[in-house]
Amino acid sequence: MSSTAVKTTLAPARRKPDTGSRRGTAASGALPRLAADTEAPKAAKPPLGPKFAAAAKSVATEVVPPLVMLALLLIVWQILCSRPGAGLPPPTRVLTETWDLIVNPFYDNGGTDKGLFWHVSASLQRVALGYVLAVIVGVALGTLVGQSTWAMRGLDPIFQVLRTVPPLAWLPLALAAFRDGQPSAIFVIFITSIWPIIINTAVGIRNIPQDYRNVSAVLRLNGFEFFYKIMVPSAAPYIFTGLRIGIGLSWLAIVAAEMLIGGVGIGFFIWDAWNSSKISEIILALIYVGLIGFVLDRLVAMVANIVTRGTSSQ
């Protein structure tokens, strides 16, 4: 074989550049850069109209039914009490006769001649003192009864007997002991509202899951740590149920007690209006009592939802 043939055979074949593949590679390589350089379109914000519509619907669902029932109640009351010989005044007459008390609740002419604000304020102060004492003592005794079997066997029957005593039945005993109307009224509030607090706290303590107790034993928590880390969070829904019942009973008790002890207070205002035959003022005071009781209950419920993170409302 000639040298020329050998060189021809061994020489590598020349390949034409594959421009198409390079263009393809370049094109394919440009796609990520183009994708990277191109910003993704921002998500469009939802219109505010549906949000306002949903909020309005929620408010209407909560507000409209009570307003409708209130309007029906006022209409029925107006019709029944507008006839001749009716014992109670219609709402239009109540509004006319008590308008001065409504628009001027802060007047103070000395003695017991005061506006409704001062009567309500005096009652709320008594309720606050008696209720706070009931909360402190009630939670402590409820914890003892719920945690100790011996305490439950010894104290629970006594509590069950005492809680059936009507609130006003304690007032003569309190007047004999304290010889003053102010501490006697506070004691009546205390002794009335403490029982649901004790009972619900004890139930909550007894219903603490055994797993929680086992964890506290593994972690070797002392008594104080076990109380505020295990007991209180677990029993909080039960405790606040008792607190809500207690605040309602406190407000009921103070109105009844003030009718007997006299002085400044919403209960005395109602009794004084009755002695003066001012039925419209009695009706106005009852409306105030109901609204304040509703606000007190909602305040305790709001605190319960914050502390228990909504579990108390379930």
Side-chain angles (χ1 to χ4, degrees), residues 118-131 182 186 189 251 254 258:
W118 304 109
H119 289 284
V120 171
S121 177
S123 298
L124 287 176
Q125 291 177 20
R126 297 186 181 106
V127 168
L129 290 174
Y131 181 69
Q182 181 78 358
I186 295 173
I189 296 168
W251 190 238
I254 189 57
E258 287 175 345

Side-chain angles (χ1 to χ4, degrees), residues 116-304:
L116 277 172
F117 172 81
W118 304 109
H119 289 284
V120 171
S121 177
S123 298
L124 287 176
Q125 291 177 20
R126 297 186 181 106
V127 168
L129 290 174
Y131 181 69
V132 169
L133 291 175
V135 170
I136 296 173
V137 178
V139 172
L141 288 177
T143 302
L144 176 63
V145 172
Q147 187 68 12
S148 173
T149 303
W150 286 99
M152 181 183 67
R153 293 174 179 173
L155 295 176
D156 185 68
I158 299 176
F159 293 159
Q160 297 299 331
V161 171
L162 293 179
R163 75 181 184 88
T164 60
V165 178
L168 290 183
W170 294 99
L171 187 58
L173 188 64
L175 289 172
F178 298 108
R179 301 181 183 276
D180 189 14
Q182 181 78 358
S184 299
I186 295 173
F187 174 78
V188 170
I189 296 168
F190 167 81
I191 204 68
T192 303
S193 59
I194 193 173
W195 309 120
I197 299 175
I198 293 176
I199 294 172
N200 283 273
T201 302
V203 172
I205 296 298
R206 286 199 296 266
N207 285 335
I208 295 177
Q210 186 60 38
D211 293 340
Y212 292 0
R213 300 180 185 273
N214 296 337
V215 170
S216 66
V218 171
L219 297 177
R220 297 181 180 179
L221 301 179
N222 56 37
F224 182 73
E225 291 175 336
F226 178 74
F227 174 75
Y228 78 86
K229 289 184 178 180
I230 303 296
M231 281 188 180
V232 173
S234 299
Y238 295 90
I239 295 174
F240 276 101
T241 299
L243 295 182
R244 290 185 66 179
I245 298 174
I247 192 64
L249 294 178
S250 297
W251 190 238
L252 292 175
I254 189 57
V255 173
E258 287 175 345
M259 289 183 178
L260 300 180
I261 65 174
V264 179
I266 191 65
F268 171 77
F269 178 87
I270 294 174
W271 189 248
D272 185 62
W274 165 251
N275 291 329
S276 303
S277 300
K278 298 178 179 178
I279 305 301
S280 296
E281 293 186 2
I282 296 176
I283 295 174
L284 176 65
L286 292 179
I287 294 173
Y288 273 68
V289 169
L291 292 176
I292 293 172
F294 175 79
V295 171
L296 292 176
D297 178 77
R298 286 298 180 265
L299 287 176
V300 177
M302 182 179 65
V303 174

